[in-house]
Amino acid sequence: MGYTPLRISTVKPGRELPFDLYIFFKETYLCYTNRGAAIEDEKYLKLKKQKIAKFYITEKDEPNYQRFLDQLLNETMNSPTATTDEKVNLVEGACGTAVERMQKDPESESSYRMTQNAAKSLRQVIANNPDALKKIFGKKASDADLIIKHSLNVSALATKLAEKCRLEDKEVDDIATAALIHDVGIAKLEKSEQDLFKKDKKQYSNDDKRLYNFHVKDAISVLKDKPWVTKSIIDLVINHEEVLSGHGPNKKSKLSKSEEILSLVNNYDKRLITSDKGPKAVIKDMTIDEVGNYSLELINKFKEVLEAEGLLE
Ligand SMILES: [Fe+2]
Ligand SMILES: [Fe+2]
């Protein structure tokens, strides 16, 4: 039997769960709650605090979980009483679960659909809650969760920048989805190569560059023949490391507005999440290092977004 990971923040206490919930403990999957049961509030709080257990459902229950989560997202996002924190936590859980599933099984259509839905909800939370972006960027990621947190950050911020650039609705949705999956290829690299994510790009040797660039190829080789992945998503993922000077892995120098936005925000967050520098210092570095890589107009718009969202404090 196959198991699929999920984040406990996507399961609400006191609500009947239409699936069996498992934990992975001492190398085995144990059924934690049975279909039709709910997790009590007290138990739930304990679980969240402990962070020791990982939660799973069986592959068979995936559609049941998805329906449950869609309903919960819908309810929470439209609830007049749910706080911004509740909304942000739920949407982070949905995005995290989706990205983790894509890392584990990038071939799966249901993982991809889940990513699309999570991206839409993330966009919605940010658009309707002025504090949401700040709350998202205020949280630090554990080392194990670095890529997942990075993907969420890029999705949240790129969406905001895309809206500021007045891109069409569909283009913004595509950016939000592509941003969540753009680095799934990193999970396919060797452990030592994965650590390149944390290394400053200016320090990359030619070998580092060659190896790191595989994460783009690896993602594309899996996604390109899937009928549910559109060409615009493929283009965004394949070009997320490209820059206008033509020094990216594909040596592409003509980028669509969407591609340039994703590349810029990706570059910014990789620097931010892997160094001790704050947003102000990172932006300053970028205005020096990235001359010719992004249009000045876009960099300035990006700064305006960071400023307006209170992310430069
Ligand atoms: Fe990347
Ligand atoms: Fe990235």
Side-chain angles (χ1 to χ4, degrees):
M1 192 160 41
Y3 293 87
T4 309
L6 66 79
R7 306 212 153 199
I8 195 63
S9 51
T10 63
V11 173
K12 214 181 168 188
R15 177 182 283 238
E16 210 177 273
L17 306 179
F19 46 83
D20 293 325
L21 185 65
Y22 288 81
I23 52 171
F24 190 62
F25 189 68
K26 293 192 174 161
E27 304 303 305
T28 36
Y29 293 96
L30 303 168
C31 191
Y32 184 77
T33 49
N34 286 309
R35 187 184 321 275
I39 306 180
E40 295 154 32
D41 289 87
E42 215 173 293
K43 236 175 163 185
Y44 181 82
L45 284 175
K46 228 187 212 166
L47 284 173
K48 279 194 92 173
K49 255 189 222 138
Q50 286 170 334
K51 283 185 181 164
I52 40 163
K54 286 207 120 202
F55 293 84
Y56 295 85
I57 49 168
T58 62
E59 271 167 20
K60 206 175 75 244
D61 263 336
E62 274 179 26
N64 297 331
Y65 169 65
Q66 190 60 59
R67 236 174 290 130
F68 170 86
L69 181 59
D70 287 345
Q71 201 188 341
L72 184 59
L73 274 169
N74 202 3
E75 254 174 51
T76 310
M77 295 314 142
N78 298 309
S79 158
T81 51
T83 63
T84 304
D85 276 317
E86 282 174 304
K87 290 175 185 173
V88 166
N89 287 341
L90 179 60
V91 97
E92 276 181 340
C95 289
T97 302
V99 177
E100 198 172 348
R101 284 181 59 178
M102 282 299 291
Q103 287 178 339
K104 201 174 160 234
D105 188 9
E107 310 260 347
S108 144
E109 181 175 359
S110 81
S111 302
Y112 184 79
R113 299 282 177 217
M114 182 181 187
T115 309
Q116 274 183 315
N117 286 349
K120 263 206 167 109
S121 298
L122 178 62
R123 183 183 170 192
Q124 198 188 341
V125 171
I126 291 163
N128 299 337
N129 300 275
D131 291 344
L133 255 182
K134 214 174 164 182
K135 284 187 190 295
I136 289 169
F137 276 84
K139 292 183 196 176
K140 295 279 160 271
S142 66
D143 224 34
D145 260 356
L146 206 58
I147 300 294
I148 291 176
K149 174 70 173 143
H150 165 65
S151 308
L152 175 90
N153 286 355
V154 175
S155 182
L157 203 45
T159 303
K160 202 75 197 179
L161 181 57
E163 278 173 353
K164 182 161 177 86
C165 294
R166 296 175 190 280
L167 262 55
E168 279 172 37
D169 204 48
K170 158 107 183 24
E171 292 175 304
V172 182
D173 274 339
D174 281 349
I175 289 176
T177 300
L180 284 184
I181 58 174
H182 79 279
D183 274 337
V184 287
I186 293 182
K188 296 274 169 247
L189 300 176
E190 300 287 335
K191 179 75 189 75
S192 61
E193 295 162 14
Q194 287 186 21
D195 284 342
L196 287 170
F197 178 77
K198 290 189 272 182
K199 191 169 171 181
D200 182 347
K201 270 203 170 163
K202 279 181 280 181
Q203 317 289 336
Y204 278 14
S205 66
N206 283 337
D207 241 19
D208 287 347
K209 262 188 222 162
R210 190 178 55 80
L211 291 169
Y212 191 64
N213 287 345
F214 272 112
H215 83 274
V216 180
K217 284 187 200 145
D218 286 351
I220 292 305
S221 66
V222 174
L223 297 173
K224 70 173 192 304
D225 57 351
K226 301 293 176 288
W228 52 87
V229 186
T230 58
K231 183 172 181 301
S232 53
I233 296 286
I234 297 279
D235 285 344
L236 283 167
V237 174
I238 209 170
N239 293 318
H240 80 261
E241 302 274 355
E242 300 304 306
V243 284
L244 295 176
S245 62
H247 288 106
N250 307 324
K251 312 260 179 296
K252 201 173 142 123
S253 57
K254 262 200 131 162
L255 304 181
S256 70
K257 188 64 41 240
S258 299
E259 289 166 347
E260 194 187 348
I261 288 171
L262 182 58
S263 173
L264 173 70
V265 177
N266 169 50
N267 192 322
Y268 169 80
D269 190 68
K270 180 178 182 291
R271 288 168 180 261
L272 186 70
I273 207 168
T274 58
S275 76
D276 299 328
K277 290 183 180 171
K280 266 190 189 156
V282 168
I283 275 289
K284 198 173 164 206
D285 284 352
M286 282 184 77
T287 41
I288 298 163
D289 298 342
E290 307 292 345
V291 174
N293 284 343
Y294 304 103
S295 70
L296 202 58
E297 190 203 350
L298 188 64
I299 293 183
N300 284 334
K301 275 202 173 131
F302 185 50
K303 275 192 219 166
E304 283 169 35
V305 169
L306 294 174
E307 185 94 74
E309 295 295 322
L311 296 175
L312 288 179
E313 290 147 24

